[in-house]
Amino acid sequence: MPKRPFRSLPVRSMPALVALAAVAVMAARPVQATDLLIATWGGGVEKVWETAFAEPFTKETGINVKIVPVPTPEAQLRAQAGNPQYNAVMVTYPQGANLMRDGMVELLDPAELPDTADTNPRYLMKNADGKLAGVSPYFMYYGIAVNTDEAKPADFKSWANLGDAKWKGKLAITRPIYLSSYDLPILSKAMGGDEKNAGPGLDLLRKIVPNALTTYSSIAHMNGLLTRGEIVAGPYYSGRVWHLRQQGAQNVTMVVPEEGALMIPYLLVMPKNAKDMAATKQFMNYVSKAEPQLRGSVLGGYLPLNAKAKLPAEAEEQMGMTLAELMTRLYQPDWAFIADNQTDRINTLEKLIAEAR
């Protein structure tokens, strides 16, 4: 049989072909009504999320993502219970545990988020049935941020140095909700206790609180206090100092005290009854991958939790040690215990602050 000669489509058929191709492409993507809205903290956090995660994801999938900075993402999630505005929300580990306990987040099948398999299970929060409360894209550590124009890093080689009376009016502390989750566990560990035996940490806090010029209200507030030299030092997040240095603030550095620093994994959770769940799961799986996590580490010091992610030499130079060395100096507390006792601890700390001042 003779071969049928090749014939191009008539011009009038081309629009139909283009339309069919567009439908095929759209069918490969989850249907969404609007941009995916992801709530994070401000103070520079949102910029890293935009560059490391949102923009590359949109380029790869065509799904638009908008990063929305808010002072307290977890509070926004709770305020919108039943009718969530955000598709996903960044929270701390203890906040994630409380949200899961209160039935305020969607529990996710790990099979729908295959790249979470590369995350160490100890940093993935699951319920008794093995469902995920969220995904863990990175961690930071909680040490002591120091303005090097005002003090030497060696002045804060121990957490106990924060209680030295010579720093009166020269430090900043965070709000009780975070003091209960971060400061109290690491201060207790440094002074011979731990998150369950908080007495030694409370004793040290009674010395630290009178040294505080202020309680900082946001990341942006603390960034300003540090870089302007309004305070000498304060317990703070490694990623925030990293980002400040990336922006040119060379008078701020991070100290890991001799007793160690606190490891803080973070969670991206989906509010209960969130819209566009299929597209949101696609984004949550994306942030679990090694490549975007590495971008986050270089841009903002958000250290990767994907086991396949290998930090480049310049990132470890910025950190002042290798990731392997850092991991040996980090303390990972019982976050479930911290979450279960958070309300009582907050009340204790509010009373302690009022009495110490």
Side-chain angles (χ1 to χ4, degrees), residues 183-195 197-202:
D183 299 66
L184 188 55
I186 190 60
L187 293 177
S188 297
K189 179 68 174 178
M191 296 297 103
D194 57 23
E195 67 276 12
N197 175 21
L202 290 170

Side-chain angles (χ1 to χ4, degrees), residues 238-269:
S238 60
R240 296 297 84 231
V241 172
W242 184 309
H243 193 233
L244 286 172
R245 290 178 64 85
Q246 291 284 76
Q247 293 179 314
Q250 297 304 309
N251 64 338
V252 180
T253 194
M254 197 72 191
V255 174
V256 177
E258 59 190 9
E259 302 93 353
L262 184 73
M263 182 180 188
I264 308 176
Y266 287 83
L267 285 176
L268 181 65
V269 301

Side-chain angles (χ1 to χ4, degrees), residues 144-167:
I144 301 175
V146 179
N147 181 300
T148 54
D149 292 336
E150 305 295 332
K152 300 184 297 292
D155 290 331
F156 297 96
K157 64 181 181 180
S158 169
W159 286 99
N161 295 137
L162 292 169
D164 193 319
K166 72 179 180 179
W167 304 122

Side-chain angles (χ1 to χ4, degrees), residues 13 39 41 43 63 65 92 97 102 138 147 188 199 219 225 235 239 251 259 302 309 313 332 338 342:
S13 299
W41 294 271
I63 299 171
V65 176
T92 67
D102 297 342
Y138 54 73
N147 181 300
S188 297
I219 296 297
L225 292 170
N251 64 338
E259 302 93 353
Y302 299 147
Q332 174 76 343
I338 291 171
Q342 189 173 48

Side-chain angles (χ1 to χ4, degrees), residues 87-150:
N87 300 92
V89 177
M90 277 301 293
V91 298
T92 67
Y93 225 66
Q95 287 171 348
N98 286 331
L99 289 166
M100 181 172 67
R101 178 200 63 202
D102 297 342
M104 301 193 72
V105 296
E106 294 287 342
L107 297 177
L108 308 169
D109 185 345
E112 296 182 282
L113 303 163
D115 283 287
T116 60
D118 294 325
T119 303
N120 187 321
R122 71 181 298 199
Y123 306 124
L124 288 172
M125 187 174 292
K126 297 181 179 181
N127 72 353
D129 297 326
K131 294 291 184 69
L132 291 168
V135 297
S136 303
Y138 54 73
F139 76 94
M140 288 191 281
Y141 62 90
Y142 199 65
I144 301 175
V146 179
N147 181 300
T148 54
D149 292 336
E150 305 295 332

